Amino acid sequence: IQVLGALLQWRKAHPAAAPALLVLPASLLGNWMAEAARFAPTLRLLGLHPSVTAPSDLAAADKSPAKALRGVDLVLTTYGMLAKQTWLAAREWSYVILDEAQAIRNPGTKQSRSARALRSARRIALTGTPVENTLGDLWSLFDFLNPGLLGTGAEFAKLTKRIAKGDGDF
């Protein structure tokens, strides 16, 4: 609800801004669409997934993204669709939001690379999963939120190894 509220405020302040992009697991697509209809009914949604969009409409969006996005405030798609709808990474979005962001915790996966390639100055990562894996997993989330802030994955791995060894000279 907080994200939907933020998007409503953004749209009110920036009516001509590009749409926002929400990436989520396919199992949550219906929930998000229902919540948006209930709590943010003025947001104009576009679902990009075979479970909510006809194949011909997906093909039309792929062929002419600008036409498909005309009048849209929020595009909802899945991690799997990022690889299929490659035009998503070519656009600048007003926001890019990842739900269940732990899906990109492994920085080497195609899914993670596709999410980090999305373009927006405003990014949100939502996760209910506690950080319980490796610092590399955490790096992947931070690199999505603030690209380059923690250096490259290799640089960050070297730093964490030095810290683990007790090398305080970093």
Side-chain angles (χ1 to χ4, degrees), residues 28 39 45 58 81 100 112 115 123 143 166:
L28 297 180
F39 295 107
L45 308 178
L58 287 172
M81 290 299 290
E100 299 295 337
S112 182
R123 296 165 174 246
D143 198 58

Side-chain angles (χ1 to χ4, degrees), residues 73-149:
D73 298 318
L74 176 61
V75 175
L76 298 95
T77 195
T78 65
Y79 289 99
M81 290 299 290
L82 290 179
K84 294 175 183 166
Q85 298 277 329
T86 55
W87 61 269
L88 295 169
R91 300 194 63 83
E92 182 75 25
W93 301 95
S94 61
Y95 277 85
V96 172
I97 304 143
L98 301 184
D99 192 9
E100 299 295 337
Q102 70 275 8
I104 67 161
R105 73 177 177 260
N106 182 343
T109 64
K110 187 175 186 178
Q111 182 168 283
S112 182
R113 289 190 312 270
S114 295
R116 288 194 323 271
L118 296 169
R119 298 175 24 207
S120 178
R122 288 162 296 285
R123 296 165 174 246
I124 299 172
L126 304 170
T127 181
T129 301
V131 176
E132 56 190 30
N133 297 311
T134 68
L135 288 174
D137 298 347
L138 187 59
W139 174 87
S140 186
L141 292 173
F142 271 87
D143 198 58
F144 166 76
L145 291 169
N146 296 290
L149 178 70

Side-chain angles (χ1 to χ4, degrees), residues 13-64:
H14 304 91
L21 176 66
L22 172 62
V23 183
L24 60 154
S27 62
L28 297 180
L29 194 54
N31 293 0
W32 269 95
M33 293 182 91
E35 294 294 302
R38 181 175 177 198
F39 295 107
T42 59
L43 280 181
R44 296 163 297 178
L45 308 178
L46 172 63
L48 288 178
H49 190 267
S51 68
V52 295
T53 309
S56 59
D57 292 337
L58 287 172
D62 198 33
K63 183 177 179 182
S64 179

